[in-house]
Amino acid sequence: MRPVMMFAHLMSGLLRPLVAAQMVVQLAAVPVCRTAGAANDQSEGSGLPLPRFASLKSDHVNVRGGPNKDQDVAWVYTRPALPVEITAEYENWRRIRDRDGSEGWVYHTLLSGKRTAYVASPKTRPDLVPLYESADRMSPLRAMLEPGVLGAVKRCNGQWCRLAGNGFDGWIEQGRLWGVYPNEKVE
């Protein structure tokens, strides 16, 4: 072998592992691109199932057009304990939907895991909704609630929920609430 070729062969053998190591380091330093679809990736949020219900923790909750503080405030909730549905997560931000279907982004610390629900309007007529002493239509009637009444969900068995609020505590058919899913069990 000629000296020049021998030197090139020797250098090639020494440089190959260094070039491979440099490529690994460079690839590790490449920033991860996030797409709009990443907002639905649960690995970037809490890891809890989506969608799910939560409630507002504060009496001042800014709802933004996107998942960061640079986004404009679209509206402000001024009543704590309102139920909202979390539909997506992006880092520490949660996209929520209210009972009217309005959606926006809130910072995760403004939400609570405490479950609340609204008495939903009946689909057929604007009647009062019965609240019973136990999870049975034959049990004594405790109250008749207007649609829109807000209460704390104490538990649900999949068909009935125990709902408590200002001046009432009893069982209501689960399908008459907005803030729990059909057949959902809440302990």
Side-chain angles (χ1 to χ4, degrees):
M1 222 181 219
R2 292 177 33 211
V4 171
M5 288 182 74
M6 194 172 359
F7 178 74
H9 180 69
L10 179 64
M11 288 305 289
S12 168
L14 291 172
L15 289 177
R16 193 171 298 134
L18 290 173
V19 169
Q22 183 180 12
M23 286 178 62
V24 168
V25 168
Q26 287 176 340
L27 285 174
V30 172
V32 176
C33 283
R34 295 198 160 119
T35 64
N40 291 320
D41 182 0
Q42 293 182 29
S43 66
E44 292 191 19
S46 67
L48 295 172
L50 292 174
R52 68 180 180 279
F53 281 103
S55 61
L56 301 180
K57 191 185 289 187
S58 172
D59 63 355
H60 186 92
V61 176
N62 290 333
V63 182
R64 298 180 183 274
N68 65 55
K69 289 189 178 192
D70 294 335
Q71 296 287 325
D72 289 336
V73 174
W75 71 89
V76 178
Y77 287 110
T78 59
R79 184 173 177 197
L82 297 179
V84 293
E85 185 177 30
I86 299 172
T87 60
E89 297 183 345
Y90 180 77
E91 295 175 353
N92 289 326
W93 292 86
R94 306 295 179 257
R95 186 174 65 209
I96 62 166
R97 178 183 308 130
D98 65 18
R99 72 177 175 160
D100 298 325
S102 299
E103 288 189 283
W105 291 87
V106 301
Y107 199 67
H108 73 105
T109 59
L110 299 172
L111 298 172
S112 170
K114 292 180 183 175
R115 298 293 295 274
T116 62
Y118 284 111
V119 174
S121 296
K123 295 183 182 1
T124 55
R125 58 196 182 287
D127 286 339
L128 297 176
V129 179
L131 184 76
Y132 297 97
E133 187 174 298
S134 63
D136 180 359
R137 284 188 190 158
M138 296 301 165
S139 71
L141 195 62
R142 280 268 174 102
M144 295 296 287
L145 302 177
E146 291 183 7
V149 168
L150 179 66
V153 175
K154 298 299 184 181
R155 66 182 162 210
C156 296
N157 65 17
Q159 301 300 314
W160 292 84
C161 291
R162 183 169 163 227
L163 189 71
N166 190 11
F168 65 91
D169 187 349
W171 290 85
I172 188 169
E173 291 179 90
Q174 196 158 333
R176 304 302 288 268
L177 295 175
W178 191 90
V180 294
Y181 295 110
N183 304 316
E184 179 184 15
K185 294 184 180 179
V186 177
E187 295 297 321

